[in-house]
Amino acid sequence: MIIWRTIGLIVLMLAALATAKARAADCPGNPNALGTSRMLSIDPREFLRIGSVQYKTSLPLEDREVVLTFDDGPLPPYTNRVLDVLAEHCVKANYFLVGRMARGYPDVARRIRAEGHTIGTHSESHMLGFDRAPIETVKGEIEQGIASVTSVVGKGTAATSFFRIPGFLRRQ
Ligand SMILES: [Zn+2]
């Protein structure tokens, strides 16, 4: 599923009725489940920057497909409530975790991992100022965030493959 520098992004399909019914059959106890249509394996060397909010490149999604992402966690009780709903609908999502929050709530971070969601990072402290801070400070925020999340959820989790800039405050 996850190869070196390749991350699985999980795609939720807002599906046509027929396929929705097929997926509901795969979600025990919930005939109205949204389900997950597929997992995309993304090579960051191919998709260096993703997201039409900031960049020109987006993912090669099919009609009615969306990718769910959640930033700024883990933070109970909210993260757990979201995870409960995702589980109820057999939906997988992508989390961009803040390093110190992962260390603060390791059980919640591990739950995200255990339930099959993809984990990226979102800096160590959610410092707002990536667009103007010294480059060494920015580098430290990124690397410490990766180290913190990896230390909590374990290696081989693809926690290093994708990064989302806090507040989208990027510069070249
Ligand atoms: Zn954020």
Side-chain angles (χ1 to χ4, degrees):
M1 180 172 79
I2 293 164
I3 312 168
W4 179 79
R5 290 185 63 83
T6 299
I7 188 170
L9 279 185
I10 295 157
V11 178
L12 168 68
M13 188 171 199
L14 300 178
L17 190 59
T19 49
K21 280 183 178 172
R23 271 189 302 286
D26 298 331
C27 193
N30 187 355
N32 298 314
L34 290 171
T36 298
S37 62
R38 60 180 175 136
M39 174 180 276
L40 284 176
S41 290
I42 302 298
D43 186 340
R45 291 167 296 189
E46 182 184 356
F47 291 93
L48 193 60
R49 296 169 172 173
I50 296 174
S52 56
V53 171
Q54 287 197 293
Y55 310 119
K56 292 176 181 169
T57 309
S58 193
L59 292 171
L61 301 179
E62 303 292 335
D63 190 32
R64 294 173 171 264
E65 283 186 332
V66 297
V67 175
L68 282 183
T69 68
F70 296 94
D71 297 356
D72 299 0
L75 183 62
Y78 312 105
T79 304
N80 285 312
R81 290 180 190 161
V82 170
L83 288 168
D84 290 345
V85 172
L86 295 176
E88 182 186 335
H89 282 273
C90 294
V91 164
K92 303 299 181 188
N94 307 275
Y95 282 81
F96 292 88
L97 301 183
V98 173
R100 70 180 181 189
M101 296 174 79
R103 286 188 285 110
Y105 303 103
D107 291 347
V108 184
R110 290 186 195 112
R111 180 183 169 191
I112 293 169
R113 175 68 187 151
E115 296 187 2
H117 305 290
T118 295
I119 296 177
T121 61
H122 193 45
S123 84
E124 172 63 10
S125 70
H126 205 280
M127 175 190 81
L128 293 173
F130 272 54
D131 54 339
R132 58 185 187 279
I135 199 67
E136 286 304 315
T137 302
V138 169
K139 188 177 175 201
E141 273 286 321
I142 294 169
E143 291 180 347
Q144 186 56 50
I146 292 168
S148 292
V149 171
T150 301
S151 73
V152 170
V153 299
K155 291 193 173 185
T157 59
T160 61
S161 294
F162 272 127
F163 174 76
R164 180 169 282 165
I165 304 167
F168 292 140
L169 297 171
R170 79 178 181 96
R171 62 183 174 204
Q172 283 308 114

